[in-house]
Amino acid sequence: MSEESKKLYLLTILSGKWRLVIIEQLFEGEKQFTDLKGSIAVSSKVLNDNLQFLVKNGIIKRCSYPTFPPKVQYSLSERGEKLRPILDSIYQWSLANYTTPTEKAEDEFYSLFK
């Protein structure tokens, strides 16, 4: 992995509309797919794709139980837990520095997530 890739790793992990929301939900504790689906207004496919990405990158853990119906629990991994102080710092910065965005600033912000 190049130095540039390492610098952008956090942005890669948090890019997309739903990954940060999923991580935030898992800060509260382990959840099943249906729990996450119920608390996040997202399609099953999009949620599943983002969960798979976060599992593959070691941010969350997926634990399946051999029951009927199958039970799958998602929780933060040790690596995912290390994001908590980083995201708390970003949140505190946001609270301290928030201003009402101008129309131009809103357009620039939303264009990042398209």
Side-chain angles (χ1 to χ4, degrees), residues 46-61:
V46 170
L47 179 57
N48 188 53
D49 290 349
N50 281 280
L51 287 169
Q52 285 181 6
F53 176 87
L54 292 169
V55 168
K56 285 179 187 175
N57 283 277
I59 304 301
I60 64 175
K61 298 182 291 187

Side-chain angles (χ1 to χ4, degrees), residues 55-100:
V55 168
K56 285 179 187 175
N57 283 277
I59 304 301
I60 64 175
K61 298 182 291 187
R62 180 185 188 274
C63 186
S64 58
Y65 300 93
T67 60
F68 187 80
K71 180 180 176 182
V72 177
Q73 293 279 113
Y74 293 94
S75 61
L76 289 173
S77 66
E78 189 175 320
R79 179 184 284 178
E81 279 293 340
K82 289 179 182 178
L83 284 171
R84 187 184 303 261
I86 295 164
L87 297 177
D88 284 345
S89 293
I90 292 170
Y91 175 69
Q92 291 303 320
W93 179 89
S94 180
L95 290 177
N97 294 284
Y98 178 80
T99 59
T100 304

